[in-house]
PDB file of all heavy atoms in Angstrom:
ATOM      1  N   ARG A 846      23.414   0.235  14.006  1.00 95.00           N
ATOM      2  CA  ARG A 846      24.022  -0.750  14.998  1.00 95.00           C
ATOM      3  C   ARG A 846      23.001  -1.262  15.928  1.00 95.00           C
ATOM      4  O   ARG A 846      22.987  -2.468  16.360  1.00 95.00           O
ATOM      5  CB  ARG A 846      24.993   0.153  15.890  1.00 95.00           C
ATOM      6  CG  ARG A 846      25.903  -0.712  16.705  1.00 95.00           C
ATOM      7  CD  ARG A 846      27.017   0.204  17.207  1.00 95.00           C
ATOM      8  NE  ARG A 846      28.238  -0.528  17.531  1.00 95.00           N
ATOM      9  CZ  ARG A 846      29.137  -1.196  16.794  1.00 95.00           C
ATOM     10  NH1 ARG A 846      28.889  -1.058  15.437  1.00 95.00           N
ATOM     11  NH2 ARG A 846      30.140  -1.763  17.128  1.00 95.00           N
ATOM     12  N   TRP A 850      22.294  -5.417  16.452  1.00 90.00           N
ATOM     13  CA  TRP A 850      22.374  -6.032  17.756  1.00 90.00           C
ATOM     14  C   TRP A 850      21.049  -6.591  18.098  1.00 90.00           C
ATOM     15  O   TRP A 850      21.009  -7.752  18.700  1.00 90.00           O
ATOM     16  CB  TRP A 850      22.670  -4.998  18.886  1.00 90.00           C
ATOM     17  CG  TRP A 850      24.247  -4.922  19.058  1.00 90.00           C
ATOM     18  CD1 TRP A 850      24.980  -3.975  18.652  1.00 90.00           C
ATOM     19  CD2 TRP A 850      24.979  -5.895  19.612  1.00 90.00           C
ATOM     20  NE1 TRP A 850      26.308  -4.169  18.924  1.00 90.00           N
ATOM     21  CE2 TRP A 850      26.433  -5.359  19.523  1.00 90.00           C
ATOM     22  CE3 TRP A 850      24.767  -7.124  20.269  1.00 90.00           C
ATOM     23  CZ2 TRP A 850      27.444  -6.153  20.012  1.00 90.00           C
ATOM     24  CZ3 TRP A 850      25.904  -7.856  20.751  1.00 90.00           C
ATOM     25  CH2 TRP A 850      27.205  -7.304  20.646  1.00 90.00           C
ATOM     26  N   ASP A 868      23.859 -16.455  29.730  1.00 72.00           N
ATOM     27  CA  ASP A 868      25.243 -16.070  29.647  1.00 72.00           C
ATOM     28  C   ASP A 868      25.560 -15.117  28.392  1.00 72.00           C
ATOM     29  O   ASP A 868      26.267 -14.129  28.517  1.00 72.00           O
ATOM     30  CB  ASP A 868      26.135 -17.315  29.484  1.00 72.00           C
ATOM     31  CG  ASP A 868      26.067 -18.273  30.763  1.00 72.00           C
ATOM     32  OD1 ASP A 868      25.821 -17.748  31.891  1.00 72.00           O
ATOM     33  OD2 ASP A 868      26.384 -19.445  30.499  1.00 72.00           O
ATOM     34  N   PHE A 869      24.905 -15.487  27.301  1.00 71.00           N
ATOM     35  CA  PHE A 869      25.076 -14.585  26.238  1.00 71.00           C
ATOM     36  C   PHE A 869      24.588 -13.224  26.446  1.00 71.00           C
ATOM     37  O   PHE A 869      25.122 -12.155  26.155  1.00 71.00           O
ATOM     38  CB  PHE A 869      24.296 -15.171  25.057  1.00 71.00           C
ATOM     39  CG  PHE A 869      24.139 -14.352  23.852  1.00 71.00           C
ATOM     40  CD1 PHE A 869      25.330 -14.322  22.980  1.00 71.00           C
ATOM     41  CD2 PHE A 869      23.034 -13.602  23.576  1.00 71.00           C
ATOM     42  CE1 PHE A 869      25.332 -13.388  21.750  1.00 71.00           C
ATOM     43  CE2 PHE A 869      23.055 -12.741  22.383  1.00 71.00           C
ATOM     44  CZ  PHE A 869      24.262 -12.619  21.509  1.00 71.00           C
ATOM     45  N   ARG A 870      23.233 -13.017  26.989  1.00 72.00           N
ATOM     46  CA  ARG A 870      22.677 -11.833  27.322  1.00 72.00           C
ATOM     47  C   ARG A 870      23.579 -10.918  28.255  1.00 72.00           C
ATOM     48  O   ARG A 870      23.756  -9.851  27.998  1.00 72.00           O
ATOM     49  CB  ARG A 870      21.336 -11.955  28.025  1.00 72.00           C
ATOM     50  CG  ARG A 870      20.292 -12.235  26.932  1.00 72.00           C
ATOM     51  CD  ARG A 870      18.868 -12.002  27.657  1.00 72.00           C
ATOM     52  NE  ARG A 870      17.921 -12.574  26.829  1.00 72.00           N
ATOM     53  CZ  ARG A 870      17.592 -13.893  26.900  1.00 72.00           C
ATOM     54  NH1 ARG A 870      17.969 -14.564  27.894  1.00 72.00           N
ATOM     55  NH2 ARG A 870      16.696 -14.492  26.104  1.00 72.00           N
ATOM     56  N   ARG A 871      24.140 -11.622  29.206  1.00 78.00           N
ATOM     57  CA  ARG A 871      25.061 -10.850  30.188  1.00 78.00           C
ATOM     58  C   ARG A 871      26.367 -10.368  29.380  1.00 78.00           C
ATOM     59  O   ARG A 871      26.747  -9.234  29.619  1.00 78.00           O
ATOM     60  CB  ARG A 871      25.537 -11.824  31.320  1.00 78.00           C
ATOM     61  CG  ARG A 871      24.458 -11.720  32.344  1.00 78.00           C
ATOM     62  CD  ARG A 871      25.005 -12.412  33.704  1.00 78.00           C
ATOM     63  NE  ARG A 871      25.398 -13.904  33.534  1.00 78.00           N
ATOM     64  CZ  ARG A 871      24.474 -14.740  33.567  1.00 78.00           C
ATOM     65  NH1 ARG A 871      23.234 -14.644  33.806  1.00 78.00           N
ATOM     66  NH2 ARG A 871      24.867 -16.014  33.396  1.00 78.00           N
ATOM     67  N   ALA A 872      26.880 -11.191  28.502  1.00 80.00           N
ATOM     68  CA  ALA A 872      28.021 -10.766  27.745  1.00 80.00           C
ATOM     69  C   ALA A 872      27.670  -9.638  26.742  1.00 80.00           C
ATOM     70  O   ALA A 872      28.661  -8.866  26.522  1.00 80.00           O
ATOM     71  CB  ALA A 872      28.605 -12.052  26.964  1.00 80.00           C
ATOM     72  N   CYS A 873      26.523  -9.628  26.207  1.00 82.00           N
ATOM     73  CA  CYS A 873      26.210  -8.678  25.141  1.00 82.00           C
ATOM     74  C   CYS A 873      25.313  -7.532  25.656  1.00 82.00           C
ATOM     75  O   CYS A 873      25.124  -6.716  24.861  1.00 82.00           O
ATOM     76  CB  CYS A 873      25.569  -9.464  24.082  1.00 82.00           C
ATOM     77  SG  CYS A 873      26.479 -10.622  23.116  1.00 82.00           S
ATOM     78  N   GLU A 874      25.016  -7.545  26.906  1.00 86.00           N
ATOM     79  CA  GLU A 874      24.142  -6.545  27.455  1.00 86.00           C
ATOM     80  C   GLU A 874      24.753  -5.156  27.231  1.00 86.00           C
ATOM     81  O   GLU A 874      23.984  -4.136  26.816  1.00 86.00           O
ATOM     82  CB  GLU A 874      23.966  -6.796  28.890  1.00 86.00           C
ATOM     83  CG  GLU A 874      22.909  -5.898  29.505  1.00 86.00           C
ATOM     84  CD  GLU A 874      22.570  -6.255  30.918  1.00 86.00           C
ATOM     85  OE1 GLU A 874      22.735  -7.382  31.387  1.00 86.00           O
ATOM     86  OE2 GLU A 874      22.070  -5.268  31.694  1.00 86.00           O
ATOM     87  N   ALA A 875      25.924  -4.838  27.584  1.00 89.00           N
ATOM     88  CA  ALA A 875      26.505  -3.545  27.373  1.00 89.00           C
ATOM     89  C   ALA A 875      26.530  -2.895  25.930  1.00 89.00           C
ATOM     90  O   ALA A 875      25.841  -1.877  25.728  1.00 89.00           O
ATOM     91  CB  ALA A 875      27.922  -3.436  28.009  1.00 89.00           C
ATOM     92  N   PRO A 876      26.941  -3.595  24.904  1.00 91.00           N
ATOM     93  CA  PRO A 876      26.905  -3.083  23.666  1.00 91.00           C
ATOM     94  C   PRO A 876      25.507  -2.939  23.148  1.00 91.00           C
ATOM     95  O   PRO A 876      25.264  -2.043  22.358  1.00 91.00           O
ATOM     96  CB  PRO A 876      27.819  -4.043  22.733  1.00 91.00           C
ATOM     97  CG  PRO A 876      27.869  -5.266  23.609  1.00 91.00           C
ATOM     98  CD  PRO A 876      27.847  -4.859  25.123  1.00 91.00           C
ATOM     99  N   LEU A 877      24.630  -3.940  23.453  1.00 89.00           N
ATOM    100  CA  LEU A 877      23.329  -3.960  23.031  1.00 89.00           C
ATOM    101  C   LEU A 877      22.596  -2.636  23.616  1.00 89.00           C
ATOM    102  O   LEU A 877      21.934  -1.970  22.845  1.00 89.00           O
ATOM    103  CB  LEU A 877      22.518  -5.145  23.501  1.00 89.00           C
ATOM    104  CG  LEU A 877      21.046  -5.234  23.249  1.00 89.00           C
ATOM    105  CD1 LEU A 877      20.710  -5.290  21.858  1.00 89.00           C
ATOM    106  CD2 LEU A 877      20.370  -6.371  23.878  1.00 89.00           C
ATOM    107  N   GLN A 878      22.749  -2.515  24.893  1.00 92.00           N
ATOM    108  CA  GLN A 878      22.176  -1.156  25.502  1.00 92.00           C
ATOM    109  C   GLN A 878      22.660   0.095  24.972  1.00 92.00           C
ATOM    110  O   GLN A 878      21.944   1.077  24.761  1.00 92.00           O
ATOM    111  CB  GLN A 878      22.274  -1.311  27.074  1.00 92.00           C
ATOM    112  CG  GLN A 878      21.450  -0.323  27.755  1.00 92.00           C
ATOM    113  CD  GLN A 878      19.981  -0.376  27.323  1.00 92.00           C
ATOM    114  OE1 GLN A 878      19.406  -1.489  27.474  1.00 92.00           O
ATOM    115  NE2 GLN A 878      19.357   0.629  26.958  1.00 92.00           N
ATOM    116  N   ALA A 879      24.002   0.060  24.780  1.00 94.00           N
ATOM    117  CA  ALA A 879      24.628   1.260  24.216  1.00 94.00           C
ATOM    118  C   ALA A 879      24.049   1.610  22.863  1.00 94.00           C
ATOM    119  O   ALA A 879      23.848   2.661  22.516  1.00 94.00           O
ATOM    120  CB  ALA A 879      26.127   1.110  24.219  1.00 94.00           C
ATOM    121  N   SER A 880      23.861   0.604  21.990  1.00 95.00           N
ATOM    122  CA  SER A 880      23.377   0.987  20.565  1.00 95.00           C
ATOM    123  C   SER A 880      21.904   1.343  20.720  1.00 95.00           C
ATOM    124  O   SER A 880      21.578   2.301  20.005  1.00 95.00           O
ATOM    125  CB  SER A 880      23.421  -0.412  19.842  1.00 95.00           C
ATOM    126  OG  SER A 880      22.446  -1.370  20.248  1.00 95.00           O
ATOM    127  N   ARG A 881      21.177   0.853  21.681  1.00 94.00           N
ATOM    128  CA  ARG A 881      19.741   1.426  21.751  1.00 94.00           C
ATOM    129  C   ARG A 881      19.860   2.697  22.409  1.00 94.00           C
ATOM    130  O   ARG A 881      18.844   3.596  22.007  1.00 94.00           O
ATOM    131  CB  ARG A 881      19.078   0.486  22.854  1.00 94.00           C
ATOM    132  CG  ARG A 881      18.751  -0.854  22.116  1.00 94.00           C
ATOM    133  CD  ARG A 881      18.166  -2.011  23.010  1.00 94.00           C
ATOM    134  NE  ARG A 881      17.753  -3.066  22.322  1.00 94.00           N
ATOM    135  CZ  ARG A 881      17.057  -4.124  22.900  1.00 94.00           C
ATOM    136  NH1 ARG A 881      16.804  -4.173  24.123  1.00 94.00           N
ATOM    137  NH2 ARG A 881      16.857  -5.235  22.122  1.00 94.00           N
ATOM    138  N   ASP A 882      20.632   3.072  23.440  1.00 96.00           N
ATOM    139  CA  ASP A 882      20.692   4.386  23.948  1.00 96.00           C
ATOM    140  C   ASP A 882      21.042   5.469  22.905  1.00 96.00           C
ATOM    141  O   ASP A 882      20.542   6.506  22.942  1.00 96.00           O
ATOM    142  CB  ASP A 882      21.696   4.353  25.089  1.00 96.00           C
ATOM    143  CG  ASP A 882      21.345   3.616  26.406  1.00 96.00           C
ATOM    144  OD1 ASP A 882      20.176   3.247  26.428  1.00 96.00           O
ATOM    145  OD2 ASP A 882      22.137   3.387  27.157  1.00 96.00           O
ATOM    146  N   LYS A 883      21.921   5.065  21.995  1.00 96.00           N
ATOM    147  CA  LYS A 883      22.270   6.022  20.896  1.00 96.00           C
ATOM    148  C   LYS A 883      20.977   6.361  20.064  1.00 96.00           C
ATOM    149  O   LYS A 883      20.837   7.437  19.709  1.00 96.00           O
ATOM    150  CB  LYS A 883      23.288   5.346  20.016  1.00 96.00           C
ATOM    151  CG  LYS A 883      23.759   6.209  18.846  1.00 96.00           C
ATOM    152  CD  LYS A 883      24.807   5.577  17.992  1.00 96.00           C
ATOM    153  CE  LYS A 883      25.180   6.568  16.864  1.00 96.00           C
ATOM    154  NZ  LYS A 883      26.188   5.903  15.897  1.00 96.00           N
ATOM    155  N   ARG A 886      19.049   8.654  22.215  1.00 96.00           N
ATOM    156  CA  ARG A 886      19.669  10.074  22.149  1.00 96.00           C
ATOM    157  C   ARG A 886      19.229  10.814  20.831  1.00 96.00           C
ATOM    158  O   ARG A 886      19.031  11.979  20.852  1.00 96.00           O
ATOM    159  CB  ARG A 886      20.997  10.020  22.466  1.00 96.00           C
ATOM    160  CG  ARG A 886      21.432   9.788  23.960  1.00 96.00           C
ATOM    161  CD  ARG A 886      22.873  10.033  24.145  1.00 96.00           C
ATOM    162  NE  ARG A 886      23.764   9.131  23.223  1.00 96.00           N
ATOM    163  CZ  ARG A 886      24.168   7.970  23.501  1.00 96.00           C
ATOM    164  NH1 ARG A 886      23.726   7.342  24.598  1.00 96.00           N
ATOM    165  NH2 ARG A 886      25.068   7.341  22.634  1.00 96.00           N
TER     166      ARG A 886
END
Side-chain angles (χ1 to χ4, degrees):
R846 191 171 207 72
W850 273 104
D868 295 337
F869 174 78
R870 274 193 204 92
R871 278 192 295 278
C873 295
E874 187 174 336
L877 174 65
Q878 192 57 50
S880 69
R881 291 175 173 182
D882 289 345
K883 181 179 177 184
R886 281 192 308 275

